[in-house]
């Protein structure tokens, strides 16, 4: 298949690429030959995840990559850990039995090689954002869109056969260099499930199992200063106000801030004290006016 390399259990057909069969402990991946030098881009992925396993008894999932290294097998959905770049995980199995999030679950991770993906916690500590998305065993086509422009990363889904995008993830302050590679990988872990990744073709098809990956260049006006930047030297990262490790599960599938500590507790106590003072002052004024009113009747 031109411009693409594959490894592991990946199987190519004339209609699709199957990253893993419906068997235990299978891993496979496919990677583009050419690095991407677009500063602003949008990727549409037409995919299918299906299997005979019961709810939450299948695994593990698909990962979509934009990374510095390619074709390196590893424990993260069939690809390497401590990667450099962007990963979007379509996770079908809750490894953390204490989690409150609902699976299947889509999450995003940006890494400069310093972070490790914790499979036992479903990547919760390194996750930037996520959402619940029911993409498994659908009887119609399922799509995912990833847009990166001016530091804003957006992930959208079309899973309801409505031909419209639904917001899943929206993060600003994301830094991604140019010159990285797009890829996709999957793993079944110790459970079984089927993952299909369609042949990278532009043509449409009525076949339910066909998946396509299409990349679009976004036209964005930039200043001369921005154009002079060597985008290949940018280190992947996020200008985040809080650490992803503050994330805790939310039953809706999103994340919320962790417990109040430090300055948060101070601000909360300060607000409560100010509220008490205001109530006391208002109460004193009302009491004084009532006393003056009562004196008029004597």
């Amino acid at each position: 298949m031109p411009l693409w390399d594959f490894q592991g259990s990946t199987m190519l057909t004339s209609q699709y690429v199957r990253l893993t069969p419906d068997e235990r402990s299978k891993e496979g991946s496919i990677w583009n030959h050419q690095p991407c030098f677009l500063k602003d881009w949008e990727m549409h992925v037409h995919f299918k995840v299906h299997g005979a396993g019961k709810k939450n008894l299948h695994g593990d999932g698909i990962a979509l990559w934009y990374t510095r290294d390619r074709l390196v097998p590893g424990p993260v959905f069939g690809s390497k850990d401590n990667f450099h770049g962007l990963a979007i995980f379509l996770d079908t199995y809750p490894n953390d039995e204490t989690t409150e999030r609902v699976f299947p679950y889509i999450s995003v991770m940006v890494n400069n090689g310093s972070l490790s993906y914790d499979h036992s916690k479903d990547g919760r500590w390194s996750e930037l954002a996520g959402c619940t998305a029911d993409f498994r065993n659908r009887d119609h086509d399922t799509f995912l869109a990833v847009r990166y422009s001016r530091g804003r990363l957006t992930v959208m889904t079309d899973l309801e056969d409505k031909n419209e995008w639904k917001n899943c993830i929206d993060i600003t302050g994301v830094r991604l260099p140019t010159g990285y590679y797009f890829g996709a990988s999957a793993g079944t872990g110790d459970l079984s499930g089927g993952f299909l990744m369609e042949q990278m073709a532009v043509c449409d098809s009525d076949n339910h199992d066909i998946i396509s990956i299409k990349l679009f260049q976004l036209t964005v006006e930039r200043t001369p200063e921005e154009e002079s930047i060597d985008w290949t030297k940018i280190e992947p990262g996020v200008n985040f106000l809080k650490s992803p490790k503050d994330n805790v599960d939310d039953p809706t599938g999103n994340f919320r801030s962790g417990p109040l500590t430090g300055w948060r507790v101070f601000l909360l106590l300060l607000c409560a004290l100010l509220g008490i003072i205001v109530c006391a002052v208002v109460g004193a004024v009302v009491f004084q006016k009532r006393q003056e009113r009562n004196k008029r009747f004597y």
Side-chain angles (χ1 to χ4, degrees), residues 49-204:
V49 178
H50 67 100
K54 297 181 180 180
K55 185 177 181 181
N56 290 340
L57 289 177
H58 43 266
D60 276 331
I62 293 177
L64 304 174
W65 305 93
Y66 176 66
T67 58
R68 184 187 66 184
D69 303 312
R70 56 189 292 271
L71 287 172
V72 183
V76 185
F77 297 89
S79 193
K80 69 169 294 185
D81 201 356
N82 298 99
F83 59 91
H84 288 74
L86 168 70
I88 299 100
F89 302 117
L90 287 71
D91 197 345
T92 59
Y93 182 74
N95 293 285
D96 184 3
E97 297 180 355
T98 64
T99 185
E100 296 179 6
R101 63 181 52 170
V102 180
F103 282 71
Y105 188 82
I106 299 176
S107 64
V108 162
M109 178 178 175
V110 174
N111 199 353
N112 62 1
S114 63
L115 298 176
S116 179
Y117 182 86
D118 187 353
H119 245 303
S120 65
K121 295 296 182 181
D122 302 307
R124 186 168 69 247
W125 304 134
S126 55
E127 170 192 328
L128 294 176
C131 74
T132 293
D134 188 12
F135 54 78
R136 185 177 182 272
N137 277 345
R138 306 307 295 264
D139 57 1
H140 50 260
D141 294 336
T142 50
F143 299 87
L144 182 140
V146 183
R147 178 185 299 166
Y148 178 68
S149 181
R150 285 192 170 278
R152 182 179 181 180
L153 180 68
T154 307
V155 178
M156 299 170 288
T157 61
D158 180 6
L159 309 176
E160 305 298 333
D161 199 23
K162 296 182 179 179
N163 197 29
E164 61 184 23
W165 294 116
K166 179 180 178 181
N167 286 333
C168 172
I169 296 169
D170 195 346
I171 311 171
T172 58
V174 178
R175 302 186 306 275
L176 294 176
T178 59
Y180 280 16
Y181 297 90
F182 285 104
S185 66
T188 58
D190 293 330
L191 297 174
S192 61
F195 302 94
L196 294 182
M197 187 58 61
E198 177 196 339
Q199 187 171 353
M200 315 309 174
V202 178
C203 60
D204 295 327

Side-chain angles (χ1 to χ4, degrees), residues 152-294:
R152 182 179 181 180
L153 180 68
T154 307
V155 178
M156 299 170 288
T157 61
D158 180 6
L159 309 176
E160 305 298 333
D161 199 23
K162 296 182 179 179
N163 197 29
E164 61 184 23
W165 294 116
K166 179 180 178 181
N167 286 333
C168 172
I169 296 169
D170 195 346
I171 311 171
T172 58
V174 178
R175 302 186 306 275
L176 294 176
T178 59
Y180 280 16
Y181 297 90
F182 285 104
S185 66
T188 58
D190 293 330
L191 297 174
S192 61
F195 302 94
L196 294 182
M197 187 58 61
E198 177 196 339
Q199 187 171 353
M200 315 309 174
V202 178
C203 60
D204 295 327
S205 175
D206 293 331
N207 190 319
H208 184 88
D209 293 327
I210 293 179
I211 298 174
S212 62
I213 294 183
K214 304 176 184 178
L215 185 67
F216 304 91
Q217 180 178 6
L218 302 178
T219 302
V220 176
E221 293 185 3
R222 295 189 176 276
T223 64
E225 291 78 12
E226 290 176 323
E227 292 293 348
S228 65
I229 297 174
D230 186 354
W231 292 82
T232 63
K233 303 299 184 182
I234 294 176
E235 183 178 18
V238 180
N239 299 328
F240 222 46
L241 296 179
K242 67 181 183 65
S243 169
K245 292 187 178 181
D246 290 336
N247 299 344
V248 294
D249 287 330
D250 187 297
T252 62
N254 297 311
F255 64 80
R256 60 178 184 269
S257 297
L260 295 176
T261 58
W263 64 270
R264 295 182 182 177
V265 175
F266 172 76
L267 289 178
L268 183 61
L269 293 176
L270 180 61
C271 291
L273 180 60
L274 290 176
I276 293 174
I277 293 174
V278 170
C279 291
V281 172
V282 172
V285 171
V286 172
F287 178 77
Q288 184 177 0
K289 288 185 176 181
R290 286 185 177 180
Q291 290 294 99
E292 292 177 354
R293 183 180 302 175
N294 290 337

Side-chain angles (χ1 to χ4, degrees), residues 11-29:
M11 180 182 68
L12 277 67
T13 74
S14 60
Q15 295 179 313
Y16 58 83
V17 174
R18 175 164 290 174
L19 297 176
T20 67
D22 189 1
E23 300 175 9
R24 295 183 179 183
S25 302
K26 297 294 183 179
E27 296 177 348
S29 66

